[in-house]
Amino acid sequence: MDAQGRGRADDIDPADQWVLNPNTGEYELQLPPSAAQSSVPGPRGSSGRGAAGRGGAARTGRAAPARRSGAAAPDDDAPSPRRRTGAPAEAAAGRRGRRPVQKKAKGKKVLMWTGGTLAFVLIGASGAAYLYYEHLNNNITSVSDDGAGTGGFSKDRAINILLIGTDKRTGKGNEGYGDKDSAGHADTTLVLHVSKDRSNATVLSIPRDLITDIPDCPTTQEDGSEKVIPGKQRTRFNNSLGQEERTPSCTMRTITELTGLKMDHFMVADFNAVKTLTSAVGGVDVCLAKDIKDPDSKLDLPKGEHTIEGEEALAFVRTRHSVGFGGDLSRIELQQQFLGSMMRKLKSNETLTSPQKMIKLAEAGTKALTVDSQISTIKKLADLGAELGKFDTKNLTFATVPVVDNPAETVKATVVLKEPQAQQLFAMVREDVSLTEVKQEKKKEKAAEAARLKGPKAPASEVRVRILNGGAVAGSAQETLSWLQVQQGVTKSENGGNAEQPLAKTTLEYAPDQADQARRLAAVMGLSGAALKPGESVTNSQGVPAMTLTLGKDFEGAGVPLTTPEKVPEDVQKATADKVECAK
């Protein structure tokens, strides 16, 4: 049909046709009387954006082919075209259109956040975008996680998402950025951990110049075959993406190797994501404690408060020579301040009640990002968004992995982990310990766990315990038995073999009258109050009651404490998303 026959639908902004009715809390479709069909955009044709304009680093080399999730499999959650057809004329006459957002879920379905630099906004936008599923599904680009992830998030456990910002130079207007002809790197990397109870979240910033090991990476090829990209020892972290045909799944494996955290999903953003998403939300508020004029990033802003978007926002998150000490760590701090501000803007009523902004965010987010194939539909992203939007911004903490200058270098260009602070921070995240104060129920639970360690302790010679291997390395039960008997004086201990069920964490079960023995063994082994499980005793080989120590997958060897730190190490850089800070 020509433009006249379509009612000049191409000239109409879809956002302008959906209006929030304050009396019902619903969005209503309002078309001009002459309109003959819905304002919902049709699916993108095969002549849509090419790989050079979409998802940059995720499609470098021989990465897995991008999947247009608009070509839905039978089990996809998107509604069929038949379900989406309706009577637009009736809607124009005053009938309510489809509700993109449930009234009571506006705040909870939206965690619009920026990762890599702005990856998170997709989640919040998708939650409000049910009105045109097929169109948005067709915007999404996805690649395989190559088995590096968990297979998908779950509502009954913590969620870990890898957010990558690549410096690959793709898209119109980006000719002056990044390295020419480069496949890109993991230039900005964030790990989002959302607690099991959804009361809090932590974002770990991984310095791009951190020296680490990149493991071997099995990668799906275009023909469906698998190629193992060899790992690399003692190299920059940012080489985990783009270089030597590495895909986001390689970065996932590197993160797991580094932190011990298994990722559920990944999202990748390029330069265009920063520009389009900040413009879609109407700009992000930032504050500068001094004038900044950086010829490299092209940022030129005077001291004070500003609202930035597009090219200026990209320049802001890229600048580093004019802030702090002028390095990547200073840029990370600047980006964390930017992300906190972005989240506050996106969770504000100014955004949530604006159909224009919500639709623009949905369009920009689904076009700008590459996600793993486990979350390649709007429905799956909305389900994820519903989980991620449950915590308050005051309980979202940004923290930078503790590092120090590489001692092997005369001219300092890279960094290495600062120990033991880095391992303490990783342990806190793995064990779901919040870096901020959270709700009262959590405090009560922690208090109860701490109380189990308080009180008299029996002599080591009086501790009776059976040791089971519940997921630790083979031989761990015997190793622990020998260590307890020979070095710790716990002579009334025995090897009980393998546990019936594997455990993620080491536990010590004991009867009420064995609490003094449990406290002694906890002190000897470095067990936390969470590891102590009041319950029942068992009968050992001598026919007398004994406790049961089950070594879980977290067990690292006899004599290695299993206590999770309760406080963030003092020199870890961190900030919460609810506070306004000025870049220095």
Side-chain angles (χ1 to χ4, degrees), residues 126-186:
S126 67
Y130 289 112
L131 61 151
Y132 54 143
Y133 264 9
E134 288 87 346
H135 172 71
L136 292 180
N137 275 332
N138 206 41
N139 283 345
I140 299 173
T141 297
S142 65
V143 294
S144 174
D145 69 359
D146 298 312
T150 62
F153 76 96
S154 173
K155 294 184 178 181
D156 59 355
R157 59 179 171 80
I159 299 174
N160 295 312
I161 300 178
L162 173 63
L163 308 168
I164 309 172
T166 174
D167 60 355
K168 180 176 174 63
R169 193 176 70 179
T170 57
K172 184 178 180 181
N174 295 323
E175 294 81 2
Y177 304 130
D179 299 327
K180 184 177 181 180
D181 301 324
S182 170
H185 304 79

Side-chain angles (χ1 to χ4, degrees), residues 18-79:
W18 290 87
V19 179
L20 181 68
N21 186 329
N23 297 320
T24 64
E26 299 176 345
Y27 286 99
E28 298 180 359
L29 179 64
Q30 296 190 6
L31 298 178
S34 59
Q37 55 278 330
S38 171
S39 64
V40 176
R44 290 153 44 94
S46 59
S47 60
R49 264 188 344 270
R54 297 276 314 271
R59 285 170 298 288
T60 60
R62 294 176 57 82
R67 173 180 177 269
R68 293 291 186 196
S69 49
D75 61 346
D76 275 1
D77 298 303

Side-chain angles (χ1 to χ4, degrees), residues 452-453 508-519 529 531-537 546-548:
R452 295 170 196 162
L453 298 173
L508 176 63
E509 184 176 359
Y510 58 96
D513 61 351
Q514 296 172 320
D516 57 342
Q517 296 182 45
R519 287 189 285 268
L532 273 58
K533 305 295 182 184
E536 299 178 353
S537 63
M547 301 182 295
T548 301

Side-chain angles (χ1 to χ4, degrees), residues 296 336 402 481 498 531:
D296 290 330
Q336 290 175 347
L481 175 66
N498 292 328

Side-chain angles (χ1 to χ4, degrees), residues 55 107 127 143 200 227 272 342 368 440 466-467 476 480 507 574:
V143 294
N200 65 92
K227 173 183 176 181
N272 280 330
M342 181 74 171
Q440 192 65 29
R466 294 184 74 241
I467 307 168
S476 293
T480 301
T507 63
K574 70 185 186 76

Side-chain angles (χ1 to χ4, degrees), residues 361-428:
L361 282 166
E363 288 284 351
T366 52
K367 289 177 181 177
L369 307 174
T370 295
V371 300
D372 67 88
S373 54
Q374 303 290 341
I375 48 172
S376 59
T377 68
I378 293 300
K379 176 60 169 63
K380 292 176 181 177
L381 284 167
D383 288 344
L384 177 59
E387 293 300 304
L388 299 180
K390 293 179 178 178
F391 60 84
D392 195 292
T393 54
K394 68 181 181 180
N395 290 331
L396 170 60
T397 306
F398 295 97
T400 304
V401 172
V403 295
V404 295
D405 288 335
N406 189 347
E409 296 176 334
T410 302
V411 178
K412 304 303 181 184
T414 62
V415 294
V416 296
L417 292 179
K418 184 175 184 179
E419 304 293 12
Q421 289 88 340
Q423 297 307 322
Q424 291 172 348
L425 181 60
F426 295 155
M428 291 184 71

Side-chain angles (χ1 to χ4, degrees), residues 75-391:
D75 61 346
D76 275 1
D77 298 303
S80 66
R82 176 173 298 176
R83 288 176 59 191
R84 293 185 58 221
T85 58
E90 292 180 0
R95 290 187 57 181
R96 290 184 298 189
R98 189 199 313 241
R99 290 174 59 186
V101 182
Q102 293 293 330
K103 182 177 180 181
K104 293 183 179 180
K106 290 176 187 173
K108 291 187 176 181
K109 283 200 174 181
V110 182
L111 173 71
M112 300 182 181
W113 196 82
T114 56
T117 43
L118 290 172
F120 244 89
V121 71
L122 174 58
I123 297 170
S126 67
Y130 289 112
L131 61 151
Y132 54 143
Y133 264 9
E134 288 87 346
H135 172 71
L136 292 180
N137 275 332
N138 206 41
N139 283 345
I140 299 173
T141 297
S142 65
V143 294
S144 174
D145 69 359
D146 298 312
T150 62
F153 76 96
S154 173
K155 294 184 178 181
D156 59 355
R157 59 179 171 80
I159 299 174
N160 295 312
I161 300 178
L162 173 63
L163 308 168
I164 309 172
T166 174
D167 60 355
K168 180 176 174 63
R169 193 176 70 179
T170 57
K172 184 178 180 181
N174 295 323
E175 294 81 2
Y177 304 130
D179 299 327
K180 184 177 181 180
D181 301 324
S182 170
H185 304 79
D187 193 52
T188 300
T189 303
L190 305 171
V191 175
L192 170 69
H193 172 86
V194 183
S195 67
K196 179 179 178 180
D197 66 1
R198 308 297 187 253
S199 68
N200 65 92
T202 300
V203 178
L204 293 181
S205 292
I206 313 294
R208 66 177 188 178
D209 296 324
L210 173 66
I211 295 298
T212 188
D213 295 335
I214 299 175
D216 292 345
C217 183
T219 306
T220 304
Q221 304 297 293
E222 291 181 1
D223 60 2
S225 63
E226 184 180 278
K227 173 183 176 181
V228 177
I229 301 174
K232 194 169 184 178
Q233 305 296 307
R234 308 301 296 167
T235 187
R236 276 182 167 90
F237 175 85
N238 67 352
N239 289 324
S240 65
L241 178 68
Q243 306 305 297
E244 300 178 43
E245 301 184 345
R246 294 190 179 96
T247 66
S249 66
C250 298
T251 308
M252 290 182 90
R253 296 182 194 278
T254 305
I255 286 291
T256 299
E257 189 89 0
L258 177 69
T259 67
L261 290 165
K262 186 85 168 180
M263 296 295 101
D264 295 302
H265 301 289
F266 66 73
M267 296 181 183
V268 181
D270 60 12
F271 290 143
N272 280 330
V274 184
K275 295 189 288 188
T276 59
L277 293 172
T278 52
S279 295
V281 76
V284 176
D285 299 328
V286 298
C287 180
L288 298 179
K290 64 179 181 180
D291 297 346
I292 292 183
K293 190 168 186 177
D294 185 351
D296 290 330
S297 70
K298 302 179 178 62
L299 180 65
D300 187 356
L301 285 176
K303 174 183 177 180
E305 298 180 354
H306 305 273
T307 300
I308 58 176
E309 62 178 274
E311 292 284 351
E312 199 168 45
L314 177 60
F316 185 88
V317 298
R318 291 184 68 241
T319 192
R320 60 190 176 103
H321 298 302
S322 301
V323 293
F325 296 103
D328 186 51
L329 296 181
S330 296
R331 184 177 67 163
I332 286 175
E333 186 174 357
L334 189 75
Q335 290 174 345
Q336 290 175 347
Q337 294 169 8
F338 179 87
L339 298 178
S341 177
M342 181 74 171
M343 183 174 177
R344 292 192 299 272
K345 181 68 172 289
L346 290 166
K347 295 194 77 170
S348 68
N349 289 333
E350 175 188 350
T351 299
L352 298 180
T353 59
S354 170
Q356 289 89 349
K357 286 185 179 180
M358 294 299 286
I359 293 177
K360 286 178 181 178
L361 282 166
E363 288 284 351
T366 52
K367 289 177 181 177
L369 307 174
T370 295
V371 300
D372 67 88
S373 54
Q374 303 290 341
I375 48 172
S376 59
T377 68
I378 293 300
K379 176 60 169 63
K380 292 176 181 177
L381 284 167
D383 288 344
L384 177 59
E387 293 300 304
L388 299 180
K390 293 179 178 178
F391 60 84

